[in-house]
Amino acid sequence: MSTASTQLPEGRYGRSADERADRKLKIIGGVLGVCLLVLVGWFAYYYVGGNKISAELISFDTSADSVKVHLEVRKDVDVEGYCTIRSQAEDGAEVGRHDFHFDQNATRIDKVVTLRTTSPGTTAELLGCHAD
């Protein structure tokens, strides 16, 4: 004995519910994908374009109550800002932190700054620079 087929004839009754759902999911996925790309692009532009000050810690010299830090700051001519530096003790505890302000009209600034510490510091770390 043969059994009757439970499938509908091709093309006779229109699209099935699964095909309509698949199409809707593809459209929703495409829209969400485009939104995600726009969001990532906006964050990238803001991060790269918004950072008007960059700096590099060239060297540091420690003593009992301070750390002398040699910084090289690169910025736009009309930008004022500050860089945050910290020092840590040998056990990792923070012994000093300070914001150093830069307002010169140069694009490149070499400066040696002194960071006062509460106990002997073994490191100097540039945490970041920000425009005012």
Side-chain angles (χ1 to χ4, degrees):
M1 299 211 137
S2 68
T3 59
S5 174
T6 59
Q7 293 182 352
L8 298 174
E10 275 298 313
R12 187 164 181 184
Y13 298 105
R15 288 190 197 171
S16 71
D18 288 342
E19 289 175 350
R20 281 190 292 269
D22 287 346
R23 185 166 191 270
K24 286 180 185 177
L25 286 175
K26 286 179 186 178
I27 291 171
I28 291 171
V31 168
L32 289 176
V34 167
C35 289
L36 179 66
L37 285 174
V38 167
L39 186 66
V40 168
W42 183 78
F43 280 123
Y45 175 76
Y46 178 77
Y47 179 75
V48 173
N51 196 4
K52 297 180 181 181
I53 297 178
S54 64
E56 182 179 358
L57 191 140
I58 304 297
S59 65
F60 65 92
D61 185 28
T62 62
S63 66
D65 64 345
S66 67
V67 177
K68 288 188 179 183
V69 179
H70 179 198
L71 284 177
E72 180 181 305
V73 179
R74 292 169 301 282
K75 63 181 188 65
D76 293 338
V77 174
D78 58 346
V79 173
E80 295 181 6
Y82 62 94
C83 292
T84 304
I85 300 171
R86 79 170 175 178
S87 181
Q88 293 177 309
E90 193 169 324
D91 64 354
E94 186 175 285
V95 294
R97 178 188 290 240
H98 193 68
D99 294 333
F100 293 100
H101 195 263
F102 298 100
D103 58 359
Q104 293 90 341
N105 284 333
T107 59
R108 184 177 167 274
I109 301 168
D110 267 339
K111 188 167 185 176
V112 176
V113 294
T114 302
L115 173 64
R116 300 281 177 209
T117 58
T118 57
S119 63
T122 58
T123 65
E125 181 180 5
L126 176 65
L127 296 179
C129 295
H130 306 279
D132 285 340

